[in-house]
Amino acid sequence: MIGSGWRVFGLLLINDIRLECRRPHLLATGLLFGALMMFITAIAVDGAGDLSDSMTAGLLWLNIFFTTAIGFLRQDRRDEEYGAATGIRFIPQDLSVIYYARWCSTLIFILCAVTVLTGMFFLLFNRAGPVRPLWFAASLGLGTLGLSGMGTFVSLLTAGSTLRDVLLPMLLFPVSLPLFLGVDRLTASALSGAPVPWSWAGVLIGYLLMVSVLPWLLYETLMEV
Amino acid sequence: MSATRSDNLLSLHNVDKEYHFRPVLHRISVGVERGRAYWLQAPNGSGKTTLLKVMAGLVKPTRGGVHWCGRPITRRDRAHFGVVLQAPWVYGDLTGMENLMLYAGLHGMSLSKRRETAREWLRKVELLHVADRRVREYSKGMMQRLSLARAMLHQPQILLLDEPFEGLDTGGIQLMAQLLDGARATGTSLVMTGHGATQTAFVDVRWTLRNGQLLELVA
Amino acid sequence: MNWVSKGCVCLVGLLGLIDLYLALIWSPPEAQMGDLVRIMYFHVASAWIALISFCVAFGAAVGYLLTRRQRCDMVLVAAIEIGLVYTALTLVTGALWAKPVWNAWWTWDPRLTTTLILWFLFIGCVLLRASMEDGRRRAVVTAVYTVVAFLDVPLIHLSVRLWRSIHPDLVNDTGFHMPGSMAFTLMFGFVVFFLVYVLLLYLRVRLEWTRRTLARMRGQAGVRETLVGEAYRTAPSTPMDGRR
């Protein structure tokens, strides 16, 4: 049955990518909204190129967080339009495979958006590149991994809510605070070349473990009704 | 003569279902035998769809149990079900072929078998000519037929169909009835719902729902 | 409200008055903060009760997920709502205390920040619940969210602590760092706050139970019609077989 679980995972992942290519909701909204957010932020701080590294990292992640929260809403509507979400859930499998497939596909799309947004960020804020580019890339990757995982889960929680548009970011931000602080510090250290804050890397890994394990335990329960 | 009979595929035992504390189904005990067709006729809002969802395991009963072949139903048993509800359970941005291939894959078929099965079922429901068109562009009747193909492609042992003939033209109804009769002939059980009397000749048992209770029509 | 509830309210009210006397008059002023220290009796007790309430909510959420009993869901919603009130009280008294002592209404101290995040976490939970249709899914979603949020709290606290810290540790592993009379007042206040909490929890759960009973009665009233028509026969109590 483990083999068939992987097959379903692969199928759902490819399906998500195919759907996104046909009608790039998540990418388009992510990029456009993110670009606008970045532009507004740059205006708000007077296009300053002399911001401290921790402020720069904070602004970058703030934009990524908001952009991601908006993207999740679009993706779920596509599943619900013709009831495909129910159809997919009617598989004789452990349902957490649906969560992991969705997490993985969202991660790919958000990573694409984040890459473009980060490039834009350096341009608009007139910043030099990070002192430790590999660490910078790793912090972006890990942050996006945690954010897409928790976002997928929270988007599922808010599925039946009439206040979904507001509640998704409202629930996502407090729950992802450790992630936000962790990636913010790691990104800031990568930008400035300061020693790697290993304690923050630990917090980040702890958070990622939680995001990986909790849905496996709880997704089935959530979907039973 | 009870749910534990070996020929009862699916059985409900004293099932109650409440929505917002309002009873929709009340103490329903019923068995669905292998290879038989059941028609449930009742007006809107009487609980037809809820009953089908309970049978499919999509909705948990407030009280009572659902059994498959005499034992409590599990997630694995979903492989034996084909379900057609009001929503067609497809992706609007995928073609008919892609949708069927996706479901064939989810039911464990290999890539080559997926394509072959999807093509065969598109031919059966007379949608082969629009196989490569996005489902979003399908008419309601076409969507209904695609939904039936989606529910039948893995050869389920039981088919649960919510108002399968609604919105179909005469040709569509005939095609649908022919496919369902064919399935029944090969041993698939059918549970269908509708507002009025059955339009199909092969129905064995007719039910109705009144005040949440399942009644068998004898006349 | 029945006579027992009324009696409990009166008793707790009386204990509350005694607590006010102890906190505002009987206990001595602190050497540096003076009378300002009196806020502590309310601030610390509220904070502890808020934590207890969220622990109760967590227990009820796990209980609900394991048993699907309605009473667990009722305790869960009651504990979250009351926990939020106590958290709000903690935040407000904390700000009132912080202004004269730290010369700021708000500081980014780990405990303060964690408490505010806790408040956001559970206010989100209440909103989520309020915006969903009544039923099993709503209860499951509330329970699952509570479990996730509660398990996230230690990680939030750890991360905020790593971030920064200036909070005074009045009570730690080595015991109370204050005179006996102040410690007594603090503990008495805690007991009173706890009793108020238990009473509120009981009343809120009862209210929820009454609401549900009423909804059930309304629902059942709608289907009490007599069955008519000779063409029908009711399904037997054991599953019927269908006749060839």
Side-chain angles (χ1 to χ4, degrees), chain C residues 12-65:
Chain C
V12 169
L14 189 68
L15 287 170
L17 285 175
I18 298 172
D19 182 38
L20 279 178
Y21 168 76
L22 290 177
L24 299 179
I25 299 165
W26 181 75
S27 75
E30 208 256 353
Q32 287 175 338
M33 285 189 268
D35 281 332
L36 280 174
V37 79
R38 297 182 195 283
I39 296 178
M40 174 193 73
Y41 303 122
F42 305 98
H43 174 70
V44 175
S46 306
W48 286 349
I49 299 296
L51 272 181
I52 289 176
S53 192
F54 291 131
C55 289
V56 170
F58 175 69
V62 173
Y64 181 80
L65 291 177

Side-chain angles (χ1 to χ4, degrees), chain A residues 35-47:
Chain A
L36 183 68
M37 278 280 293
M38 208 64 94
F39 183 62
I40 293 170
T41 318
I43 289 176
V45 296
D46 208 12

Side-chain angles (χ1 to χ4, degrees), chain A residues 1-19 88 91 93 96-105 108, chain B residues 101-102 105-106 109 111 114:
Chain A
M1 271 301 142
I2 289 170
S4 59
W6 279 109
R7 196 197 56 241
V8 171
F9 173 83
L11 267 169
L12 293 177
L13 178 62
I14 291 170
N15 189 49
D16 269 356
I17 295 172
R18 178 184 287 151
L19 283 165
I88 297 295
I91 50 169
Q93 289 281 338
S96 54
V97 73
I98 301 174
Y99 166 78
Y100 290 112
R102 174 50 57 86
W103 180 6
C104 207
S105 63
I108 294 170
Chain B
M101 280 180 68
L102 171 68
L106 292 176
M109 293 181 201
L111 189 63
R114 263 177 244 167

